[in-house]
Amino acid sequence: VQLQASGGGLVQAGESLRLSCTASGSTFGRYDMGWFRQAPGKEREFVARFKSSNGHTYYADSVKGRFTLSRDNAKNTVYLQMNSLRSEDTAVYYCVADTPPFAILSSIRYARAYDYWGQGTQVTVSS
């Protein structure tokens, strides 16, 4: 599986961006997709992830209410709509895929739960 992320850029605080991640292969619909990010000098952190076993989407507290994860299976693409961006959202954003057997709920916020990673796309928010 290859994941290709795009849509990053430079925006001002309060503005919006939509990230896209397109996956190769014909089994995209079977993956649970999500996003992580890594800011300079910080560890990679969980942002959002859809869990097919219960139909819920999980978000980091820091982005809840501002970011929305969605997917279009016909296009093999997952999106991260980011609104009301803040300077602390500045990071490289990575799309991730978890394949069956899926990670248990208590593990989904950890990088080790994911089998595939995209190359990352830079988001910079100026204040």
Side-chain angles (χ1 to χ4, degrees), residues 34-64:
W35 292 86
F36 273 67
R37 67 185 181 185
Q38 187 166 21
K42 295 188 176 181
E43 293 187 354
R44 199 166 291 191
E45 67 171 352
F46 171 81
V47 176
R49 178 241 170 92
F50 175 75
K51 190 149 180 49
S52 58
S53 61
N54 61 16
H56 291 170
T57 302
Y58 295 87
Y59 297 93
D61 288 343
S62 58
V63 307
K64 201 173 295 182

PDB file of all heavy atoms in Angstrom, residues 34-64:
ATOM      1  N   GLY A  34      -6.257   7.236   9.007  1.00  0.00           N
ATOM      2  CA  GLY A  34      -6.128   8.301   9.996  1.00  0.00           C
ATOM      3  C   GLY A  34      -5.000   9.251   9.656  1.00  0.00           C
ATOM      4  O   GLY A  34      -4.404   9.164   8.571  1.00  0.00           O
ATOM      5  N   TRP A  35      -4.720  10.161  10.602  1.00  0.00           N
ATOM      6  CA  TRP A  35      -3.660  11.141  10.437  1.00  0.00           C
ATOM      7  C   TRP A  35      -2.872  11.286  11.743  1.00  0.00           C
ATOM      8  O   TRP A  35      -3.453  11.254  12.840  1.00  0.00           O
ATOM      9  CB  TRP A  35      -4.246  12.510  10.063  1.00  0.00           C
ATOM     10  CG  TRP A  35      -4.863  12.567   8.714  1.00  0.00           C
ATOM     11  CD1 TRP A  35      -6.148  12.233   8.384  1.00  0.00           C
ATOM     12  CD2 TRP A  35      -4.221  12.946   7.488  1.00  0.00           C
ATOM     13  NE1 TRP A  35      -6.346  12.394   7.039  1.00  0.00           N
ATOM     14  CE2 TRP A  35      -5.185  12.837   6.468  1.00  0.00           C
ATOM     15  CE3 TRP A  35      -2.942  13.388   7.155  1.00  0.00           C
ATOM     16  CZ2 TRP A  35      -4.902  13.144   5.136  1.00  0.00           C
ATOM     17  CZ3 TRP A  35      -2.666  13.696   5.838  1.00  0.00           C
ATOM     18  CH2 TRP A  35      -3.633  13.570   4.844  1.00  0.00           C
ATOM     19  N   PHE A  36      -1.580  11.468  11.598  1.00  0.00           N
ATOM     20  CA  PHE A  36      -0.687  11.852  12.680  1.00  0.00           C
ATOM     21  C   PHE A  36      -0.002  13.151  12.246  1.00  0.00           C
ATOM     22  O   PHE A  36      -0.082  13.554  11.083  1.00  0.00           O
ATOM     23  CB  PHE A  36       0.382  10.774  12.919  1.00  0.00           C
ATOM     24  CG  PHE A  36      -0.047   9.686  13.851  1.00  0.00           C
ATOM     25  CD1 PHE A  36      -1.049   8.796  13.487  1.00  0.00           C
ATOM     26  CD2 PHE A  36       0.542   9.536  15.098  1.00  0.00           C
ATOM     27  CE1 PHE A  36      -1.452   7.781  14.338  1.00  0.00           C
ATOM     28  CE2 PHE A  36       0.150   8.524  15.960  1.00  0.00           C
ATOM     29  CZ  PHE A  36      -0.845   7.652  15.576  1.00  0.00           C
ATOM     30  N   ARG A  37       0.682  13.770  13.188  1.00  0.00           N
ATOM     31  CA  ARG A  37       1.479  14.941  12.848  1.00  0.00           C
ATOM     32  C   ARG A  37       2.718  14.986  13.730  1.00  0.00           C
ATOM     33  O   ARG A  37       2.755  14.401  14.812  1.00  0.00           O
ATOM     34  CB  ARG A  37       0.669  16.226  12.997  1.00  0.00           C
ATOM     35  CG  ARG A  37       0.281  16.572  14.436  1.00  0.00           C
ATOM     36  CD  ARG A  37      -0.625  17.801  14.458  1.00  0.00           C
ATOM     37  NE  ARG A  37      -0.998  18.197  15.803  1.00  0.00           N
ATOM     38  CZ  ARG A  37      -1.858  19.170  16.092  1.00  0.00           C
ATOM     39  NH1 ARG A  37      -2.447  19.853  15.107  1.00  0.00           N
ATOM     40  NH2 ARG A  37      -2.136  19.450  17.347  1.00  0.00           N
ATOM     41  N   GLN A  38       3.716  15.700  13.226  1.00  0.00           N
ATOM     42  CA  GLN A  38       4.945  15.863  13.993  1.00  0.00           C
ATOM     43  C   GLN A  38       5.439  17.290  13.831  1.00  0.00           C
ATOM     44  O   GLN A  38       5.768  17.720  12.716  1.00  0.00           O
ATOM     45  CB  GLN A  38       6.015  14.874  13.541  1.00  0.00           C
ATOM     46  CG  GLN A  38       7.252  14.891  14.420  1.00  0.00           C
ATOM     47  CD  GLN A  38       8.153  13.703  14.171  1.00  0.00           C
ATOM     48  OE1 GLN A  38       8.107  13.059  13.129  1.00  0.00           O
ATOM     49  NE2 GLN A  38       9.008  13.393  15.145  1.00  0.00           N
ATOM     50  N   ALA A  39       5.479  17.988  14.941  1.00  0.00           N
ATOM     51  CA  ALA A  39       5.988  19.355  14.962  1.00  0.00           C
ATOM     52  C   ALA A  39       7.492  19.323  15.200  1.00  0.00           C
ATOM     53  O   ALA A  39       8.020  18.351  15.759  1.00  0.00           O
ATOM     54  CB  ALA A  39       5.289  20.154  16.049  1.00  0.00           C
ATOM     55  N   PRO A  40       8.203  20.372  14.818  1.00  0.00           N
ATOM     56  CA  PRO A  40       9.657  20.405  15.017  1.00  0.00           C
ATOM     57  C   PRO A  40      10.034  20.207  16.478  1.00  0.00           C
ATOM     58  O   PRO A  40       9.481  20.856  17.366  1.00  0.00           O
ATOM     59  CB  PRO A  40      10.032  21.812  14.544  1.00  0.00           C
ATOM     60  CG  PRO A  40       8.964  22.183  13.583  1.00  0.00           C
ATOM     61  CD  PRO A  40       7.703  21.558  14.111  1.00  0.00           C
ATOM     62  N   GLY A  41      10.941  19.268  16.710  1.00  0.00           N
ATOM     63  CA  GLY A  41      11.416  19.017  18.058  1.00  0.00           C
ATOM     64  C   GLY A  41      10.464  18.240  18.939  1.00  0.00           C
ATOM     65  O   GLY A  41      10.731  18.069  20.133  1.00  0.00           O
ATOM     66  N   LYS A  42       9.357  17.776  18.369  1.00  0.00           N
ATOM     67  CA  LYS A  42       8.377  17.041  19.165  1.00  0.00           C
ATOM     68  C   LYS A  42       8.172  15.645  18.599  1.00  0.00           C
ATOM     69  O   LYS A  42       8.533  15.360  17.460  1.00  0.00           O
ATOM     70  CB  LYS A  42       7.051  17.796  19.192  1.00  0.00           C
ATOM     71  CG  LYS A  42       7.128  19.137  19.904  1.00  0.00           C
ATOM     72  CD  LYS A  42       5.751  19.738  20.058  1.00  0.00           C
ATOM     73  CE  LYS A  42       5.802  21.029  20.852  1.00  0.00           C
ATOM     74  NZ  LYS A  42       4.447  21.619  21.040  1.00  0.00           N
ATOM     75  N   GLU A  43       7.575  14.804  19.419  1.00  0.00           N
ATOM     76  CA  GLU A  43       7.271  13.453  18.973  1.00  0.00           C
ATOM     77  C   GLU A  43       6.042  13.460  18.058  1.00  0.00           C
ATOM     78  O   GLU A  43       5.209  14.358  18.119  1.00  0.00           O
ATOM     79  CB  GLU A  43       7.015  12.547  20.176  1.00  0.00           C
ATOM     80  CG  GLU A  43       8.235  12.308  21.035  1.00  0.00           C
ATOM     81  CD  GLU A  43       7.996  11.271  22.110  1.00  0.00           C
ATOM     82  OE1 GLU A  43       6.849  10.815  22.251  1.00  0.00           O
ATOM     83  OE2 GLU A  43       8.962  10.907  22.807  1.00  0.00           O
ATOM     84  N   ARG A  44       5.965  12.428  17.255  1.00  0.00           N
ATOM     85  CA  ARG A  44       4.813  12.271  16.390  1.00  0.00           C
ATOM     86  C   ARG A  44       3.574  12.052  17.255  1.00  0.00           C
ATOM     87  O   ARG A  44       3.608  11.293  18.229  1.00  0.00           O
ATOM     88  CB  ARG A  44       5.048  11.080  15.464  1.00  0.00           C
ATOM     89  CG  ARG A  44       4.192  11.039  14.250  1.00  0.00           C
ATOM     90  CD  ARG A  44       4.739  10.019  13.263  1.00  0.00           C
ATOM     91  NE  ARG A  44       6.023  10.452  12.691  1.00  0.00           N
ATOM     92  CZ  ARG A  44       6.586   9.834  11.648  1.00  0.00           C
ATOM     93  NH1 ARG A  44       6.017   8.771  11.111  1.00  0.00           N
ATOM     94  NH2 ARG A  44       7.736  10.266  11.181  1.00  0.00           N
ATOM     95  N   GLU A  45       2.460  12.721  16.909  1.00  0.00           N
ATOM     96  CA  GLU A  45       1.273  12.595  17.723  1.00  0.00           C
ATOM     97  C   GLU A  45       0.045  12.285  16.888  1.00  0.00           C
ATOM     98  O   GLU A  45      -0.067  12.694  15.722  1.00  0.00           O
ATOM     99  CB  GLU A  45       1.033  13.886  18.531  1.00  0.00           C
ATOM    100  CG  GLU A  45       0.684  15.095  17.718  1.00  0.00           C
ATOM    101  CD  GLU A  45       0.254  16.267  18.577  1.00  0.00           C
ATOM    102  OE1 GLU A  45       0.068  16.115  19.803  1.00  0.00           O
ATOM    103  OE2 GLU A  45       0.080  17.361  18.010  1.00  0.00           O
ATOM    104  N   PHE A  46      -0.863  11.590  17.509  1.00  0.00           N
ATOM    105  CA  PHE A  46      -2.131  11.212  16.897  1.00  0.00           C
ATOM    106  C   PHE A  46      -2.990  12.436  16.651  1.00  0.00           C
ATOM    107  O   PHE A  46      -3.050  13.343  17.492  1.00  0.00           O
ATOM    108  CB  PHE A  46      -2.846  10.253  17.843  1.00  0.00           C
ATOM    109  CG  PHE A  46      -4.259   9.930  17.460  1.00  0.00           C
ATOM    110  CD1 PHE A  46      -4.531   8.975  16.493  1.00  0.00           C
ATOM    111  CD2 PHE A  46      -5.323  10.564  18.083  1.00  0.00           C
ATOM    112  CE1 PHE A  46      -5.834   8.669  16.144  1.00  0.00           C
ATOM    113  CE2 PHE A  46      -6.626  10.262  17.751  1.00  0.00           C
ATOM    114  CZ  PHE A  46      -6.895   9.311  16.778  1.00  0.00           C
ATOM    115  N   VAL A  47      -3.671  12.456  15.492  1.00  0.00           N
ATOM    116  CA  VAL A  47      -4.593  13.544  15.176  1.00  0.00           C
ATOM    117  C   VAL A  47      -6.029  13.024  15.069  1.00  0.00           C
ATOM    118  O   VAL A  47      -6.931  13.513  15.737  1.00  0.00           O
ATOM    119  CB  VAL A  47      -4.199  14.244  13.857  1.00  0.00           C
ATOM    120  CG1 VAL A  47      -5.231  15.304  13.488  1.00  0.00           C
ATOM    121  CG2 VAL A  47      -2.808  14.852  13.959  1.00  0.00           C
ATOM    122  N   ALA A  48      -6.235  12.021  14.208  1.00  0.00           N
ATOM    123  CA  ALA A  48      -7.597  11.518  13.995  1.00  0.00           C
ATOM    124  C   ALA A  48      -7.531  10.149  13.350  1.00  0.00           C
ATOM    125  O   ALA A  48      -6.563   9.815  12.655  1.00  0.00           O
ATOM    126  CB  ALA A  48      -8.394  12.471  13.104  1.00  0.00           C
ATOM    127  N   ARG A  49      -8.623   9.385  13.564  1.00  0.00           N
ATOM    128  CA  ARG A  49      -8.685   8.064  12.950  1.00  0.00           C
ATOM    129  C   ARG A  49     -10.103   7.553  12.972  1.00  0.00           C
ATOM    130  O   ARG A  49     -10.826   7.723  13.952  1.00  0.00           O
ATOM    131  CB  ARG A  49      -7.776   7.088  13.701  1.00  0.00           C
ATOM    132  CG  ARG A  49      -7.848   5.633  13.121  1.00  0.00           C
ATOM    133  CD  ARG A  49      -8.331   4.665  14.148  1.00  0.00           C
ATOM    134  NE  ARG A  49      -8.624   3.357  13.613  1.00  0.00           N
ATOM    135  CZ  ARG A  49      -7.751   2.350  13.571  1.00  0.00           C
ATOM    136  NH1 ARG A  49      -6.506   2.535  13.988  1.00  0.00           N
ATOM    137  NH2 ARG A  49      -8.110   1.194  13.094  1.00  0.00           N
ATOM    138  N   PHE A  50     -10.507   6.939  11.882  1.00  0.00           N
ATOM    139  CA  PHE A  50     -11.797   6.266  11.784  1.00  0.00           C
ATOM    140  C   PHE A  50     -11.617   4.812  12.179  1.00  0.00           C
ATOM    141  O   PHE A  50     -10.652   4.162  11.756  1.00  0.00           O
ATOM    142  CB  PHE A  50     -12.343   6.344  10.359  1.00  0.00           C
ATOM    143  CG  PHE A  50     -13.612   5.553  10.172  1.00  0.00           C
ATOM    144  CD1 PHE A  50     -14.813   6.017  10.671  1.00  0.00           C
ATOM    145  CD2 PHE A  50     -13.593   4.341   9.494  1.00  0.00           C
ATOM    146  CE1 PHE A  50     -15.984   5.290  10.511  1.00  0.00           C
ATOM    147  CE2 PHE A  50     -14.752   3.607   9.315  1.00  0.00           C
ATOM    148  CZ  PHE A  50     -15.948   4.071   9.828  1.00  0.00           C
ATOM    149  N   LYS A  51     -12.528   4.313  12.994  1.00  0.00           N
ATOM    150  CA  LYS A  51     -12.471   2.908  13.408  1.00  0.00           C
ATOM    151  C   LYS A  51     -13.715   2.205  12.888  1.00  0.00           C
ATOM    152  O   LYS A  51     -14.830   2.463  13.360  1.00  0.00           O
ATOM    153  CB  LYS A  51     -12.381   2.798  14.922  1.00  0.00           C
ATOM    154  CG  LYS A  51     -12.070   1.390  15.409  1.00  0.00           C
ATOM    155  CD  LYS A  51     -11.286   1.393  16.684  1.00  0.00           C
ATOM    156  CE  LYS A  51     -10.965   0.008  17.185  1.00  0.00           C
ATOM    157  NZ  LYS A  51     -10.398  -0.878  16.170  1.00  0.00           N
ATOM    158  N   SER A  52     -13.512   1.306  11.942  1.00  0.00           N
ATOM    159  CA  SER A  52     -14.636   0.673  11.256  1.00  0.00           C
ATOM    160  C   SER A  52     -15.408  -0.275  12.158  1.00  0.00           C
ATOM    161  O   SER A  52     -16.598  -0.495  11.948  1.00  0.00           O
ATOM    162  CB  SER A  52     -14.150  -0.074  10.018  1.00  0.00           C
ATOM    163  OG  SER A  52     -13.185  -1.038  10.370  1.00  0.00           O
ATOM    164  N   SER A  53     -14.749  -0.807  13.184  1.00  0.00           N
ATOM    165  CA  SER A  53     -15.428  -1.806  14.018  1.00  0.00           C
ATOM    166  C   SER A  53     -16.607  -1.220  14.775  1.00  0.00           C
ATOM    167  O   SER A  53     -17.563  -1.941  15.091  1.00  0.00           O
ATOM    168  CB  SER A  53     -14.442  -2.429  15.008  1.00  0.00           C
ATOM    169  OG  SER A  53     -13.916  -1.447  15.873  1.00  0.00           O
ATOM    170  N   ASN A  54     -16.577   0.082  15.043  1.00  0.00           N
ATOM    171  CA  ASN A  54     -17.704   0.714  15.726  1.00  0.00           C
ATOM    172  C   ASN A  54     -18.239   1.945  14.995  1.00  0.00           C
ATOM    173  O   ASN A  54     -19.188   2.577  15.462  1.00  0.00           O
ATOM    174  CB  ASN A  54     -17.332   1.077  17.171  1.00  0.00           C
ATOM    175  CG  ASN A  54     -16.175   2.049  17.249  1.00  0.00           C
ATOM    176  OD1 ASN A  54     -15.807   2.701  16.270  1.00  0.00           O
ATOM    177  ND2 ASN A  54     -15.588   2.172  18.434  1.00  0.00           N
ATOM    178  N   GLY A  55     -17.641   2.262  13.856  1.00  0.00           N
ATOM    179  CA  GLY A  55     -18.140   3.376  13.053  1.00  0.00           C
ATOM    180  C   GLY A  55     -17.839   4.750  13.603  1.00  0.00           C
ATOM    181  O   GLY A  55     -18.395   5.748  13.121  1.00  0.00           O
ATOM    182  N   HIS A  56     -16.976   4.824  14.590  1.00  0.00           N
ATOM    183  CA  HIS A  56     -16.666   6.117  15.210  1.00  0.00           C
ATOM    184  C   HIS A  56     -15.365   6.693  14.649  1.00  0.00           C
ATOM    185  O   HIS A  56     -14.471   5.964  14.227  1.00  0.00           O
ATOM    186  CB  HIS A  56     -16.535   5.965  16.723  1.00  0.00           C
ATOM    187  CG  HIS A  56     -17.834   5.672  17.397  1.00  0.00           C
ATOM    188  ND1 HIS A  56     -17.916   5.302  18.721  1.00  0.00           N
ATOM    189  CD2 HIS A  56     -19.103   5.686  16.944  1.00  0.00           C
ATOM    190  CE1 HIS A  56     -19.180   5.099  19.051  1.00  0.00           C
ATOM    191  NE2 HIS A  56     -19.921   5.319  17.980  1.00  0.00           N
ATOM    192  N   THR A  57     -15.301   8.014  14.698  1.00  0.00           N
ATOM    193  CA  THR A  57     -14.075   8.716  14.369  1.00  0.00           C
ATOM    194  C   THR A  57     -13.526   9.340  15.651  1.00  0.00           C
ATOM    195  O   THR A  57     -14.268   9.962  16.405  1.00  0.00           O
ATOM    196  CB  THR A  57     -14.302   9.803  13.314  1.00  0.00           C
ATOM    197  OG1 THR A  57     -14.857   9.204  12.126  1.00  0.00           O
ATOM    198  CG2 THR A  57     -12.994  10.489  12.951  1.00  0.00           C
ATOM    199  N   TYR A  58     -12.245   9.149  15.872  1.00  0.00           N
ATOM    200  CA  TYR A  58     -11.605   9.624  17.096  1.00  0.00           C
ATOM    201  C   TYR A  58     -10.651  10.765  16.759  1.00  0.00           C
ATOM    202  O   TYR A  58      -9.956  10.724  15.741  1.00  0.00           O
ATOM    203  CB  TYR A  58     -10.848   8.474  17.764  1.00  0.00           C
ATOM    204  CG  TYR A  58     -11.789   7.381  18.228  1.00  0.00           C
ATOM    205  CD1 TYR A  58     -12.163   6.360  17.367  1.00  0.00           C
ATOM    206  CD2 TYR A  58     -12.320   7.408  19.512  1.00  0.00           C
ATOM    207  CE1 TYR A  58     -13.048   5.375  17.773  1.00  0.00           C
ATOM    208  CE2 TYR A  58     -13.201   6.420  19.933  1.00  0.00           C
ATOM    209  CZ  TYR A  58     -13.568   5.406  19.049  1.00  0.00           C
ATOM    210  OH  TYR A  58     -14.448   4.439  19.457  1.00  0.00           O
ATOM    211  N   TYR A  59     -10.636  11.764  17.629  1.00  0.00           N
ATOM    212  CA  TYR A  59      -9.798  12.931  17.432  1.00  0.00           C
ATOM    213  C   TYR A  59      -8.958  13.205  18.672  1.00  0.00           C
ATOM    214  O   TYR A  59      -9.381  12.932  19.800  1.00  0.00           O
ATOM    215  CB  TYR A  59     -10.651  14.172  17.143  1.00  0.00           C
ATOM    216  CG  TYR A  59     -11.460  14.095  15.881  1.00  0.00           C
ATOM    217  CD1 TYR A  59     -12.770  13.640  15.888  1.00  0.00           C
ATOM    218  CD2 TYR A  59     -10.900  14.481  14.658  1.00  0.00           C
ATOM    219  CE1 TYR A  59     -13.520  13.567  14.720  1.00  0.00           C
ATOM    220  CE2 TYR A  59     -11.639  14.416  13.489  1.00  0.00           C
ATOM    221  CZ  TYR A  59     -12.947  13.954  13.527  1.00  0.00           C
ATOM    222  OH  TYR A  59     -13.671  13.882  12.358  1.00  0.00           O
ATOM    223  N   ALA A  60      -7.790  13.785  18.458  1.00  0.00           N
ATOM    224  CA  ALA A  60      -7.024  14.315  19.575  1.00  0.00           C
ATOM    225  C   ALA A  60      -7.803  15.470  20.189  1.00  0.00           C
ATOM    226  O   ALA A  60      -8.488  16.213  19.478  1.00  0.00           O
ATOM    227  CB  ALA A  60      -5.658  14.792  19.100  1.00  0.00           C
ATOM    228  N   ASP A  61      -7.693  15.635  21.483  1.00  0.00           N
ATOM    229  CA  ASP A  61      -8.415  16.718  22.154  1.00  0.00           C
ATOM    230  C   ASP A  61      -8.045  18.084  21.566  1.00  0.00           C
ATOM    231  O   ASP A  61      -8.878  18.977  21.495  1.00  0.00           O
ATOM    232  CB  ASP A  61      -8.109  16.697  23.650  1.00  0.00           C
ATOM    233  CG  ASP A  61      -8.763  15.534  24.359  1.00  0.00           C
ATOM    234  OD1 ASP A  61      -9.699  14.931  23.788  1.00  0.00           O
ATOM    235  OD2 ASP A  61      -8.326  15.212  25.482  1.00  0.00           O
ATOM    236  N   SER A  62      -6.807  18.214  21.145  1.00  0.00           N
ATOM    237  CA  SER A  62      -6.320  19.496  20.649  1.00  0.00           C
ATOM    238  C   SER A  62      -6.959  19.920  19.330  1.00  0.00           C
ATOM    239  O   SER A  62      -6.905  21.104  18.969  1.00  0.00           O
ATOM    240  CB  SER A  62      -4.799  19.456  20.486  1.00  0.00           C
ATOM    241  OG  SER A  62      -4.429  18.414  19.605  1.00  0.00           O
ATOM    242  N   VAL A  63      -7.570  18.976  18.606  1.00  0.00           N
ATOM    243  CA  VAL A  63      -8.164  19.310  17.303  1.00  0.00           C
ATOM    244  C   VAL A  63      -9.663  19.089  17.270  1.00  0.00           C
ATOM    245  O   VAL A  63     -10.319  19.442  16.281  1.00  0.00           O
ATOM    246  CB  VAL A  63      -7.500  18.503  16.160  1.00  0.00           C
ATOM    247  CG1 VAL A  63      -5.990  18.662  16.202  1.00  0.00           C
ATOM    248  CG2 VAL A  63      -7.898  17.035  16.203  1.00  0.00           C
ATOM    249  N   LYS A  64     -10.210  18.510  18.322  1.00  0.00           N
ATOM    250  CA  LYS A  64     -11.636  18.197  18.348  1.00  0.00           C
ATOM    251  C   LYS A  64     -12.460  19.455  18.153  1.00  0.00           C
ATOM    252  O   LYS A  64     -12.201  20.488  18.781  1.00  0.00           O
ATOM    253  CB  LYS A  64     -11.966  17.523  19.678  1.00  0.00           C
ATOM    254  CG  LYS A  64     -13.235  16.705  19.691  1.00  0.00           C
ATOM    255  CD  LYS A  64     -13.378  15.950  21.000  1.00  0.00           C
ATOM    256  CE  LYS A  64     -12.282  14.914  21.166  1.00  0.00           C
ATOM    257  NZ  LYS A  64     -12.441  14.128  22.415  1.00  0.00           N
TER     258      LYS A  64
END
